[in-house]
């Protein structure tokens, strides 16, 4: 009997094959990659910059950059980690630029989801609380809890040590405490 | 070990505790401190509660046109790679011009006895130079005559027509 396959490992193997074909000039292979990851890239950017439209611009830039740099991708990390690295760093830089011009948490407070996609009250509270964190702490929280990356993957994505990831996460929890302590899972207080 | 050192160790190992990856010895020390230090036990409860809250959040839905926008951006970028590079364009223009000049010169060299249908002001026209498969006009070749309707003098080469 064969071992049941690990879905992450299966996904990684599929990505490796798509990357190999995309590097060989197959447009359909690269299309499959961005169709698979575009929502994750967008969500990561959105949680970091707090703006849906800006997150869409960033998602486009991330995939264009991935297309340009695919020949330099050597497969030392998984394609998804490599892509998260481009997305997170792009979003962190953009959030830094915005933060220098305006208070980012004001932007987070103003941002509302599309009328057609009403987010719950909980989501709105969390998004506003994330806007109160520094972008470095916010990125770690987003990657860990909202995107489900391991500490090792976050360290690789953000070019940090695992210890730094954990200490940033600890600090983020402390900073979120006064903002989220009265929030229950249904979004009520 | 001082109390603050124990608190620091607690901070460093809190996530390993939550992941269940502490060794038996570390786990015992962690639990001992956890039972004795109200601040650390409160911090651990906070982490557990927030982690549960955050991981339960659904991924936000992107705008409906995201796929189309990403597709357009990547397709536009790919087209840039597929266009001939400027040096190749000019090499193509030069080759086309040389070929045309050679053909017309051969016809013109027939002189007064040239066959009917040879290059005259009526038969030679301005020619747009294009590369196969590329609709853009790289340049123009225009016949130049010594006199209107007279003998062929040469060719004028110009760049792409202005829009």
């Amino acid at each position: 009997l064969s071992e049941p396959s690990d879905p992450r490992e299966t996904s990684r193997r599929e990505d490796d094959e798509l990357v190999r074909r995309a590097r060989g000039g197959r447009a359909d292979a690269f299309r499959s990659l961005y169709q698979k990851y575009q929502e994750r890239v967008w969500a990561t950017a959105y949680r970091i910059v707090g703006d849906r439209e800006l997150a869409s611009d960033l998602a486009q830039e991330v995939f264009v950059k991935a297309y340009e740099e695919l020949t330099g991708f050597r497969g030392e990390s998984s394609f998804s980690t490599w892509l998260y690295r481009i997305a997170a760093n792009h979003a962190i830089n953009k959030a830094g630029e915005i933060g220098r011009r305006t208070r980012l948490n004001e932007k987070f407070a103003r941002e509302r989801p599309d009328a057609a996609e009403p987010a719950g009250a909980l989501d709105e509270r969390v998004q506003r609380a994330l806007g109160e964190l520094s972008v470095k702490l916010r990125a770690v929280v987003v990657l860990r809890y909202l995107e489900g990356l391991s500490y090792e993957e976050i360290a690789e994505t953000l070019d940090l040590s695992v210890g730094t990831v954990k200490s940033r996460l600890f600090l983020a929890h402390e900073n979120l405490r006064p903002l989220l302590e009265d929030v229950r899972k249904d979004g009520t207080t | 070990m001082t109390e603050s050192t124990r608190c620091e160790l607690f901070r460093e190992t809190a996530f390993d505790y939550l992941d269940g990856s502490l060794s038996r010895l570390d786990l015992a020390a962690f639990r001992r401190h956890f039972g004795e230090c109200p601040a650390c036990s409160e911090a651990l409860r906070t982490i557990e509660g927030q982690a549960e809250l955050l991981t339960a959040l659904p991924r936000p839905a992107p705008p409906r046109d995201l796929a189309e926008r990403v597709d357009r951006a990547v397709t536009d970028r790919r087209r840039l790679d597929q266009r001939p590079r400027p040096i190749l364009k000019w090499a193509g223009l030069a080759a086309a011009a040389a070929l045309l000049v050679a053909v017309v010169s051969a016809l013109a060299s027939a002189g007064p006895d040239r066959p009917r249908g040879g290059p005259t002001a009526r038969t030679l026209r301005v020619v747009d130079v294009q590369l196969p498969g590329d609709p853009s006009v790289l340049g123009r070749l225009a016949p130049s005559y010594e006199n209107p309707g007279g003998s062929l003098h040469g060719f004028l080469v110009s760049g792409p027509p202005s829009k």
Side-chain angles (χ1 to χ4, degrees):
Chain A
L1 280 177
S2 62
E3 290 278 318
S5 58
D6 174 3
R8 287 172 74 110
E9 190 51 42
T10 306
S11 173
R12 184 175 176 152
R13 270 197 234 112
E14 284 169 3
D15 288 354
D16 288 346
E17 177 58 18
L18 288 170
V19 166
R20 191 185 63 74
R21 286 164 49 201
R23 289 172 67 162
R26 293 283 300 270
D28 59 331
F30 191 69
R31 185 174 297 116
S32 297
L33 285 168
Y34 63 72
Q35 283 172 346
K36 178 176 178 180
Y37 286 104
Q38 62 193 4
E39 292 193 6
R40 279 177 251 187
V41 165
W42 181 88
T44 303
Y46 169 62
R47 292 296 193 193
I48 293 176
V49 298
D51 182 305
R52 296 174 64 83
E53 186 56 28
L54 188 53
S56 294
D57 290 344
L58 285 168
Q60 291 175 72
E61 290 168 21
V62 165
F63 285 107
V64 167
K65 194 172 172 66
Y67 170 79
E68 288 170 344
E69 297 190 355
L70 198 62
T71 47
F73 171 64
R74 285 186 293 206
E76 286 161 1
S77 61
S78 66
F79 175 77
S80 65
T81 302
W82 181 76
L83 192 62
Y84 271 118
R85 184 183 305 155
I86 298 175
N89 289 324
H90 229 58
I92 288 169
N93 290 341
K94 185 58 78 178
E97 284 173 27
I98 298 168
R100 282 190 287 277
R101 290 199 301 269
T102 59
R103 273 171 56 84
L104 194 63
N105 55 0
E106 288 170 10
K107 188 166 197 44
F108 274 73
R110 281 199 306 273
E111 179 67 16
R112 293 289 181 275
D114 283 349
E117 298 286 350
L122 171 63
D123 194 275
E124 203 173 311
R125 283 286 306 270
V126 169
Q127 190 66 12
R128 289 175 68 168
L130 288 175
E132 296 285 337
L133 295 178
S134 75
V135 68
K136 286 179 177 177
L137 299 187
R138 194 184 317 139
V140 173
V141 171
V142 168
L143 293 174
R144 174 65 186 151
Y145 297 118
L146 304 170
E147 291 304 315
L149 269 62
S150 68
Y151 304 115
E152 290 74 16
E153 286 169 329
I154 299 170
E156 214 175 327
T157 299
L158 300 177
D159 202 15
L160 301 170
S161 69
V162 170
T164 304
V165 169
K166 288 178 180 174
S167 63
R168 283 189 185 179
L169 208 49
F170 196 97
L171 195 55
H173 280 297
E174 286 196 334
N175 293 350
L176 285 173
R177 192 192 300 186
L179 303 166
L180 294 178
E181 69 184 347
D182 61 341
V183 180
R184 288 195 291 267
K185 268 201 205 169
D186 58 2
T188 59
T189 53
Chain B
M1 193 183 287
T2 66
E3 196 58 29
S4 69
T5 312
R6 285 198 193 96
C7 292
E8 194 142 328
L9 267 177
F10 174 87
R11 288 173 64 123
E12 285 171 13
T13 51
F15 294 104
D16 297 327
Y17 169 78
L18 292 173
D19 288 349
S21 59
L22 283 181
S23 70
R24 209 156 43 157
L25 264 180
D26 289 341
L27 184 62
F30 187 93
R31 283 191 173 140
R32 205 164 38 248
H33 179 68
F34 178 65
E36 289 166 357
C37 178
C40 286
S41 72
E42 175 63 25
L44 190 67
R45 271 196 298 275
T46 297
I47 293 172
E48 282 180 307
Q50 288 178 6
E52 196 183 345
L53 186 77
L54 292 165
T55 47
L57 276 182
R59 180 175 285 134
R64 291 198 179 89
D65 65 349
L66 178 71
E68 190 188 323
R69 288 173 66 170
V70 170
D71 197 50
R72 199 166 49 231
V74 173
T75 304
D76 287 349
R77 178 61 188 81
R78 183 180 292 114
R79 282 203 185 114
L80 279 182
D81 284 347
Q82 289 167 346
R83 288 182 61 177
R85 285 176 290 177
I87 191 161
L88 292 179
K89 269 191 163 186
W90 287 109
L93 175 63
L99 181 66
L100 197 61
V101 167
V103 168
V104 177
S105 296
L107 290 168
S109 66
D113 301 328
R114 64 179 176 262
R116 292 180 68 183
T120 68
R122 285 190 300 280
T123 56
L124 280 179
R125 294 184 181 170
V126 174
V127 176
D128 285 338
V129 179
Q130 292 168 284
L131 290 178
D134 187 346
S136 58
V137 176
L138 299 174
R140 283 191 160 157
L141 284 173
S144 150
Y145 298 94
E146 284 179 332
N147 53 68
S151 57
L152 182 69
H153 177 66
F155 285 90
L156 300 172
V157 181
S158 61
S162 55
K163 303 216 167 146

